[in-house]
Each structure stands twice: as structure tokens, then as C-alpha cells.
Amino acid sequence: MMLGRIGVAIDIGTTTVVVHLVEMKSGARLKTASRLNAQSPYGADITSRIQYCIENGHELLTKLIREQISSMIIEVCETAKENYNDIESISIAANTVMQHLVVGYSPNKMGVSPYKTTSLFGQMLPAWEGMPVNKNAMIYYTPSISAFVGGDITAGILAAGIDVAPEPALFIDVGTNGEIVLKNKGDYICCSTAAGPAFEGAEIDKGMIAEDGAIDHLWLISNDQYNISVIGGGEPKGLCGSGLLDTLAMLLDTGAVDETGRLLKDSKYWLTKSDVGEGVYISASDIRKLQLAKAAIAA
């Protein structure tokens, strides 16, 4: 496999896509770009995207994700002042449905029992036509475990050192698709669930991905005062997943919500508010969506 001087590592999540520009010798990340997955209008989770493909074909979703990744590669290269023609190595980690779509395979067979895949990947394939990389570049697709435990989990197990961790060990990926892996007596037991996109800030009134302007942490300093951490340090624009969880924990601690998750005083709890009535808040419906996502993971 050619390595070259720079490469890209890509995480295709159901809700969020992240592209890292990497210096290959040291492994240092030079630049990172993240965006909402361009396929999101065609379904919030993998089940609804499979259904879209069954009804309409997969070609549009393949086109959208490829165009988005190409645009993000150009973005990180321009920001880092690098030439994308120098990129010879690409790795893609994603759930199995996202991997099928970016390669150009139909995911339809995964929508019905016995949930068969066209491939479980773990191989290198040439970069697709129009990808802004070296003409000889190859893409490594991380190996999936099953139709609903993908290459992102394989990569996560290795990155977290679960393969060498003392047993028993537990790996948890909390996202739009939630997965849990238990390592015990040399075996790996995996399960997955469609948790929905709330943990990633999607379908939340003031939700957003974890980028500049997102409240990512919130903590109490007294019973009615709290501090806010904002990614990038500027004015808060919304809440990403970790900010949502911190906010709900704070509301529980202060008694602003009861044990069922019901907001006691209003349908919204404002975290920031300007003179013209704009700001960041969490709503009653947001809390319900978080509860549904938590229930799926717990189950």
C-alpha cells in the first residue's frame, strides 16, 4: 500500500461526517472538517435510509455522500495549504450501511431478514472517479462485523485498546446507531440499536453537531448558577450531544424537571437569551427525544 506524505481518515456517521487530514509518518492530524451527513434528508437513521433505497434505488445517496466527502477533502487541504493530489492513502470507517452506500452497493438486503450484506469489507479499493486525491490513491474500508455492527466499531475497538484490555471489557459507541461490545474469555459479543440522532444534536430544537458555537459542557456552580463551555470559545449557537446530556443532568439536579423528565415551569428552559428573545434552550420535546435514545441504549 502506498502511504505518501499526507492521507485522509474519514468517519461516515449516519448523522455526522468527519474528515481528518493526517501527516502519515507521525500520524498527526493537520486539519479536521465535520458536517451533517448529506443523506440525512432521506432518513434520520439507517433503517429509514434502507427503506428509501428499496423504494428509490441507492444511486442518489451514493452520489450525495461521495460529493460531500470530496468537498470536505478540498476544504481540509485548502485550510492546511496542502495539495490534495498528494493524498495517496484514505481510510473509511462507517457502519455497514454507510459503507455500502459510499462504495456504491445497494443496502436493500440488510433491510429484511436474514439481513445479508453484499460485503463486510476489510479490503482496499481504488478511489472513486472524481475524488480529489492522487490518481493512484487507494481507499481502505475497515472490516464490518455484521450488517448492523460496522467498521466504525472495529476501528473503535482497536483505537480504544479493547483488544489488549484486561477482561471483561466493555466498548460502547453512543450515536444515531448505538453499539455495545463485550469482550469476555477471548470472545467479543456485540449488539446494536437504532437510538436516533438526538445524541448527535439532530432533530433537537437548538441542536447542532460538535463544531464552533456548540455548547459541549455545562456544570453547576450553585443551585441556580452554572457555567457553559462553548466549542471555539465564541457565542453559543446551540447544543451538541454532550451539552444536551449535561443540560438535562443539571435540570434534574436543580429540580427543574421531575423524575419523569417533565419540565415543571414551562415548555422551554432557556440557557442563554438575548434582549430580542433569541438564544439557546432545551424544550420538553427535546427531553423526550433524549429519553427515547437513552431507552434504546439501555434496552
Side-chain angles (χ1 to χ4, degrees):
M1 177 180 179
M2 297 185 305
L3 291 179
R5 188 178 62 81
I6 56 173
V8 287
I10 302 165
D11 179 2
I12 308 174
T14 311
T15 301
T16 308
V17 179
V18 180
V19 173
H20 298 291
L21 183 67
V22 179
E23 202 281 319
M24 295 298 294
K25 187 174 181 180
S26 67
R29 280 182 280 183
L30 303 176
K31 289 295 175 183
T32 297
S34 63
R35 297 182 190 172
L36 285 174
N37 190 315
Q39 301 170 342
S40 296
Y42 300 91
D45 53 46
I46 55 174
T47 304
S48 53
R49 286 192 210 161
I50 291 172
Q51 187 60 40
Y52 174 86
C53 292
I54 291 171
E55 296 173 358
N56 304 281
H58 68 278
E59 291 79 9
L60 174 60
L61 299 192
T62 295
K63 177 175 179 287
L64 287 171
I65 194 62
R66 287 184 173 187
E67 288 178 347
Q68 180 172 35
I69 288 171
S70 294
S71 172
M72 293 173 74
I73 289 173
I74 292 171
E75 177 187 336
V76 293
C77 286
E78 288 181 346
T79 306
K81 295 180 171 54
E82 296 283 357
N83 186 341
Y84 52 73
N85 288 313
D86 293 336
I87 296 170
E88 298 178 0
S89 303
I90 304 109
S91 65
I92 291 181
N95 65 60
T96 315
V97 172
M98 293 299 106
Q99 284 187 322
H100 273 63
L101 289 172
V102 75
V103 172
Y105 298 155
S106 169
N108 293 3
K109 291 187 291 185
M110 286 184 279
V112 293
S113 180
Y115 312 110
K116 290 187 176 180
T117 64
T118 299
S119 173
L120 288 175
F121 305 98
Q123 80 264 41
M124 292 171 55
L125 297 172
W128 59 77
E129 185 177 353
M131 193 179 199
V133 293
N134 186 280
K135 63 180 181 179
N136 298 315
M138 300 290 288
I139 304 174
Y140 177 67
Y141 294 87
T142 52
S144 294
I145 297 167
S146 70
F148 295 106
V149 182
D152 52 345
I153 302 307
T154 309
I157 289 170
L158 291 172
I162 297 296
D163 57 317
V164 295
E167 299 180 10
L170 196 65
F171 176 81
I172 303 174
D173 183 312
V174 179
T176 306
N177 308 295
E179 293 90 1
I180 295 178
V181 180
L182 173 66
K183 178 189 177 188
N184 189 45
K185 298 179 181 178
D187 292 328
Y188 294 82
I189 303 168
C190 313
C191 64
S192 63
T193 184
F199 286 133
E200 301 193 52
E203 297 187 357
I204 299 296
D205 285 359
K206 299 297 290 187
M208 60 186 294
I209 61 175
E211 62 182 9
D212 286 355
I215 296 174
D216 62 338
H217 288 298
L218 182 150
W219 62 97
L220 280 172
I221 53 177
S222 68
N223 192 49
D224 58 354
Q225 291 184 308
Y226 50 85
N227 283 337
I228 290 174
S229 165
V230 179
I231 298 174
E235 288 295 315
K237 300 175 183 176
L239 289 155
C240 65
S242 58
L244 280 163
L245 295 176
D246 277 1
T247 299
L248 184 53
M250 182 269 292
L251 296 178
L252 279 167
D253 287 343
T254 59
V257 300
D258 65 17
E259 68 277 4
T260 71
R262 182 170 66 91
L263 274 169
L264 297 179
K265 292 185 178 180
D266 202 348
S267 61
K268 296 178 181 178
Y269 186 96
W270 292 86
L271 298 172
T272 66
K273 198 170 186 180
S274 68
D275 294 337
V276 294
E278 296 179 351
V280 180
Y281 63 84
I282 187 170
S283 70
S285 63
D286 295 339
I287 293 172
R288 294 302 182 213
K289 288 172 184 173
L290 278 172
Q291 287 178 302
L292 287 171
K294 178 189 173 184
I297 296 292

